[in-house]
Amino acid sequence: MGAAVLFTEHTGPQPRVLLVEPTYKEGWDLPGGVIEAGESPQAGAFRETHEELGVQVAPGRLLLVNYAPPRVPGGDSINWVFEGGALDEAEIVLQDEELRAWTWCTAEDVPRLTNPRMARIVTAALGAHLHGGTVYAENGLPMA
């Protein structure tokens, strides 16, 4: 299982989301990571964002639960995305071992920076953030 946080910035005409660039894979991602044994998804999201970004922001409401089908290598997974709200970028201190960089981007920027599944996840989570509620998705596609 994995947990992530959607941090948003609403200073321009479109909201922007914070993405991070991992050192261990191609493409950009939401801040977050693998939930440890015995750890709740919300606690995992807090721990991972603190480790990666150096911030201590309690994750807010649940925006998205995503089921990802089995991939090679590995099996299926469940990913939880929580609301992070606004973030003071002056507080960000990247964990150099895991992250190369971070950036704010609009919804239109997300598909060119991330893989297609992550783009769908970010888009669905941003929609839940903007319109309220929680979304259930499979492989990043919201289910009715």
Side-chain angles (χ1 to χ4, degrees):
M1 281 196 304
V5 177
L6 182 81
F7 291 104
T8 54
E9 178 183 68
H10 293 269
T11 57
Q14 297 179 17
R16 298 189 309 167
V17 299
L18 183 101
L19 294 181
V20 295
E21 184 181 22
T23 58
Y24 51 87
K25 66 180 182 179
E26 291 297 316
W28 293 70
D29 216 338
L30 288 172
V34 175
I35 299 168
E36 295 179 352
E39 186 175 50
S40 75
Q42 196 169 33
F46 174 84
R47 177 186 51 75
E48 283 288 338
T49 55
H50 176 61
E51 288 175 3
E52 290 183 353
L53 301 176
V55 298
Q56 293 193 29
V57 176
R61 72 183 177 89
L62 179 63
L63 296 174
L64 176 82
V65 177
N66 180 69
Y67 168 77
R71 292 181 286 171
V72 177
D76 57 355
S77 65
I78 302 289
N79 301 99
W80 308 77
V81 180
F82 294 92
E83 189 154 47
L87 184 63
D88 181 357
E89 57 191 59
E91 296 178 11
I92 297 175
V93 179
L94 291 183
Q95 181 187 45
D96 293 336
E97 301 82 37
E98 286 194 35
L99 299 178
R100 280 187 197 94
W102 63 270
T103 189
W104 290 109
C105 64
T106 64
E108 289 79 24
D109 297 327
V110 171
R112 86 177 156 75
L113 295 173
T114 66
N115 66 54
R117 182 178 61 85
M118 181 53 59
R120 292 188 301 268
I121 288 170
V122 172
T123 300
L126 183 58
H129 163 74
L130 293 172
H131 305 294
T134 301
V135 175
Y136 170 72
E138 292 187 2
N139 206 22
L141 297 169
M143 307 303 287

